[in-house]
DNA sequence: TGTAAATCCTAGTAAAATAGTGGGAATTAA
DNA sequence: TTAATTCCCACTATTTTACTAGGATTTACA
């Protein structure tokens, strides 16, 4: 049940992007430097978020990325799902239908997975990016590069 | 954020075990047959649950496994954690301490991971095995082998 | 108009994790 | 004694992860 580096780096990058792209587009190399993430790898993560409609790109010199909508309209869930795919703990074909996989019409554990899924989504869909940006400004007012001692 | 087969098979096995071990110990091969899981693999999963104090073993012929406590005292969380380790989405060293990993005393995303962690635990720790056993009896009253069409 | 800074796109790859399989010893009921 | 069972440890194929690499394309600016 671990989030991969995609989700971990991606959310950090997105908070960074939201924080620093208000005046001008932010480049991958900028984010990568501040967050201590490989440029080439981050490139791929941002591409996923672009595909999901969370960020817009401006090509060419002095280009970069900006949010595609306001930070208040982008949830942690949007970000994580764009990178990790669905957050559901078990990929169950019969998840949203009644005809389950067992003889008598549904497997027991399905309801467990669904409950976990619901609670994860409930949580991540109610945390918006603007909140985290405010928090980031409080914790790191001057925008120093973030030292990573833990691997989150 | 996917549960591995350990968690998925393990919970199914545990519900099966809880359901069928009321009168006599249930063997691995019994559970494996009913649940369509490899015996050798299931053996290893049950060993983890034994180590966690969720089941007791009776060795020798006509031996098998029984619950170490009543089904009402074993939560889905107990089972999943015994198999998967911690369910937290990110393994953060500074999780339960205040001195975080960033210069200014904590990283922003830590709070996100903690919220997700809390909501998962809240959910799995309030679902007890006895509930699921009752559900299992409703869905499959005669204890037929469970046909797996989905991979949950 | 050239150059540097950027995004964009695709492919490759080492390391780690997953999902098992396999052999065989120890225990115990019948 | 035998068969059924748990127990323990080692091995392995496959998949996933976490990148690296190369190079094409776009564009601001001198």
């Amino acid at each position: 049940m671990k989030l991969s580096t995609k989700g971990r780096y991606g959310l950090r990058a997105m908070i960074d992007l939201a924080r620093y792209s208000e005046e001008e587009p932010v480049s991958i190399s900028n984010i990568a430097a501040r967050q201590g993430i490989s440029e080439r790898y981050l490139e791929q993560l941002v591409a996923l978020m672009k595909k999901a409609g969370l960020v817009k790109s401006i090509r060419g010199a002095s280009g970069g990325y900006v949010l595609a909508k306001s930070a208040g309209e982008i949830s942690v869930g949007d970000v994580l799902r764009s990178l990790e795919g669905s957050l559901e703990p078990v990929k169950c074909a019969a998840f949203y239908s009644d005809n389950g996989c067992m003889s008598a019409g549904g497997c027991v554990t399905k309801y467990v997975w669904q409950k976990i899924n619901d609670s994860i989504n409930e949580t991540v869909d109610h945390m918006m990016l603007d909140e985290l940006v405010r928090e980031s400004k409080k914790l790191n007012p001057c925008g120093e590069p973030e030292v990573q001692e833990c691997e989150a």
Side-chain angles (χ1 to χ4, degrees), chain A residues 45 48-50 52 54 77-85:
Chain A
L45 306 188
L48 290 171
M49 297 195 279
K50 185 184 173 184
L54 303 180
D78 294 331
V79 175
L80 293 183
R81 277 187 296 264
S82 75
L83 295 157
E84 302 266 343

Side-chain angles (χ1 to χ4, degrees), chain A residues 108-124:
Chain A
V108 184
T109 47
K110 170 179 149 182
Y111 296 102
V112 177
W113 312 141
Q114 206 151 23
K115 282 255 167 140
I116 298 175
N117 187 41
D118 290 348
S119 79
I120 293 173
N121 283 333
E122 173 74 14
T123 303
V124 296

Side-chain angles (χ1 to χ4, degrees), chain A residues 16-36:
Chain A
D16 187 286
L17 177 57
R19 174 168 178 181
Y20 296 105
S21 68
E22 279 171 3
E23 272 131 46
E24 44 179 13
V26 184
S27 71
I28 294 280
S29 59
N30 259 247
I31 301 174
R34 264 192 304 265
Q35 299 296 327

Side-chain angles (χ1 to χ4, degrees), chain A residues 80-116:
Chain A
L80 293 183
R81 277 187 296 264
S82 75
L83 295 157
E84 302 266 343
S86 161
L87 297 176
E88 60 192 18
V90 171
K91 190 182 142 200
C92 182
F95 223 71
Y96 296 108
S97 74
D98 278 338
N99 58 336
C101 44
M102 222 185 57
S103 31
C107 56
V108 184
T109 47
K110 170 179 149 182
Y111 296 102
V112 177
W113 312 141
Q114 206 151 23
K115 282 255 167 140
I116 298 175

Side-chain angles (χ1 to χ4, degrees), chain A residues 54-93:
Chain A
L54 303 180
V55 302
K56 278 187 303 192
S57 66
I58 294 111
R59 299 191 66 171
S62 81
Y65 293 90
V66 292
L67 296 186
K69 27 187 176 174
S70 83
E73 293 172 309
I74 300 176
S75 73
V76 169
D78 294 331
V79 175
L80 293 183
R81 277 187 296 264
S82 75
L83 295 157
E84 302 266 343
S86 161
L87 297 176
E88 60 192 18
V90 171
K91 190 182 142 200
C92 182

